[in-house]
Amino acid sequence: KLENATIKAELGRASWKLFHTMMARFPEKPSEEDSLALKTYIKLFARLYPCGDCASHFQQLLKKFPPQIGSRNAAAGWACHVHNQVNERLKKPLFDCNNIGDFYDCGCGDEKKATGE
Ligand code: FAD
């Protein structure tokens, strides 16, 4: 079947949204079990990502930049960095990872913010 760049991009946007939102909700102080779960998730995400070409590139990236799973900040910063690596390869603008803080909100409304909302 022919490649359809529109559908491929749509899948990418949806996937990145889930990926970064998951990092934004990862515990600030994860248990060892939490960290292992995230590490396993990332590895399987890279392996099972539906676009095969993307998946093999991403697996290479994981070898070069092993997942940072020690805290929410580490995980979110790492995910931003690897997404930027993909952006660079696809000649897309880079995202400022210092602004990742409140950018990904799950809308779940069940976690207290520092502002006390
Ligand atoms: P996307 O890259 O989809 O980003 C969506 C939004 O996320 C942006 O609008 C911005 O608000 C935000 N964002 C951008 N950069 C960052 C960042 N660094 N950190 C946090 N947020 C950010 N496509 C291919 O053609 N070839 C590939 O090899 C390929 N590999 C991929 C591998 C993976 C694991 C994934 C998830 C996707 C891959 N894609 C690939 C899809 C590609 O990355 C884009 O998702 C797609 O091209 C749509 O791009 P976009 O410009 O809409 O923005």
Side-chain angles (χ1 to χ4, degrees):
K1 226 178 163 187
L2 278 179
E3 176 175 323
N4 182 324
T6 308
I7 297 176
K8 189 175 169 184
E10 180 73 14
L11 174 68
R13 278 188 290 274
S15 302
W16 285 124
K17 176 92 176 179
L18 172 62
F19 200 69
H20 293 299
T21 307
M22 199 169 270
M23 302 307 163
R25 292 281 292 183
F26 188 64
E28 275 161 24
K29 293 189 174 129
S31 65
E32 273 187 41
E33 211 188 344
D34 291 329
S35 291
L36 178 62
L38 184 62
K39 189 175 157 183
T40 308
Y41 179 89
I42 293 167
K43 207 173 154 180
L44 292 174
F45 171 84
R47 178 162 151 194
L48 297 172
Y49 191 75
C51 149
D53 227 32
C54 310
S56 42
H57 281 299
F58 199 61
Q59 282 172 287
Q60 291 307 310
L61 271 180
L62 294 197
K63 278 189 200 150
K64 199 166 167 194
F65 305 105
Q68 303 294 302
I69 47 169
S71 69
R72 174 184 299 178
N73 267 346
W78 169 84
C80 188
H81 177 72
V82 290
H83 188 169
N84 270 338
Q85 294 287 315
V86 174
N87 289 339
E88 202 173 298
R89 194 164 56 77
L90 301 177
K91 302 193 165 53
K92 287 175 188 283
L94 300 188
F95 190 91
D96 180 359
C97 293
N98 294 313
N99 291 338
I100 196 96
D102 287 330
F103 196 80
Y104 290 94
D105 182 351
C106 72
C108 323
D110 58 357
E111 196 181 59
K112 297 252 184 318
K113 289 248 175 76
T115 53
E117 274 168 47

